[in-house]
Amino acid sequence: KTKTIEETIEFAKNLGNKLFPGAVITLEGDLGAGKTTFTKGIAQALHVNKTVNSPTFTIIKEYVGDLNLYHMDVYRLSDHLEDLGFDEYFYGEGVCVIEWASIIEDQIPRERLHINIFVQGEFERLIELVPNGTKYQKLCEVLFNE
């Protein structure tokens, strides 16, 4: 649970410090839940120098950092689309963060860290991590056993 925007960013930054090349993070939450805010924390950990904002109208924004960050917002896509060519991002050397990932569920790697963000108050958030695959289970163990 986080109680402020800053705590949410710090939690995401702590997670971001543990990410690895090819990591895939999927984010779900209502509009305004803090998916882009969470991504900003990951970007800080990766030493991205550009301002991170929602890629709603461009689908993918690419940021250069210690690991490149590929920030995707697929909210406006239909789940019936053909393959969109995301594989080069999902299986590359950067980190993918996908907002509204359930829309393209059939195109996302099975192994990933799924994160649900639930609004608990004006700034309070409940952040649920669901690891899919050994790498992500170990990541969560490290994250919560520090």
Side-chain angles (χ1 to χ4, degrees), residues 6-72:
E6 293 76 22
E7 281 185 16
T8 299
I9 289 172
E10 274 305 307
F11 179 76
K13 188 175 178 182
N14 192 21
L15 170 66
N17 284 326
K18 293 161 184 54
L19 294 177
F20 46 85
V24 177
I25 308 297
T26 56
L27 296 174
E28 295 288 340
D30 292 336
L31 286 171
K35 296 178 295 295
T36 300
T37 297
F38 197 91
T39 304
K40 288 178 181 184
I42 292 173
Q44 286 179 18
L46 300 178
H47 300 110
V48 168
N49 292 324
K50 289 179 104 181
T51 300
V52 172
N53 52 33
S54 179
T56 301
F57 298 104
T58 57
I59 301 175
I60 301 173
K61 286 194 175 180
E62 298 182 22
Y63 299 96
V64 175
D66 293 343
L67 293 173
N68 288 344
L69 174 63
Y70 307 116
H71 183 201
M72 304 175 187

Side-chain angles (χ1 to χ4, degrees), residues 84-144:
L84 295 171
F86 290 146
D87 285 358
E88 66 185 75
Y89 295 102
F90 297 151
Y91 300 103
E93 294 298 311
V95 171
C96 290
V97 176
I98 309 155
E99 297 186 26
W100 304 101
S102 61
I103 293 171
I104 59 167
E105 179 73 31
D106 59 335
Q107 296 183 43
I108 301 171
R110 288 185 187 194
E111 290 201 10
R112 64 182 182 256
L113 179 59
H114 181 74
I115 300 174
N116 293 305
I117 302 175
F118 301 98
V119 176
Q120 302 281 289
E122 186 176 357
F123 300 110
E124 293 178 16
R125 300 294 183 261
L126 175 64
I127 302 168
E128 174 187 53
L129 281 68
V130 182
N132 296 298
T134 306
K135 292 185 286 190
Y136 297 99
Q137 288 172 347
K138 288 180 182 177
L139 173 69
C140 287
E141 288 171 12
V142 168
L143 184 65
F144 290 107

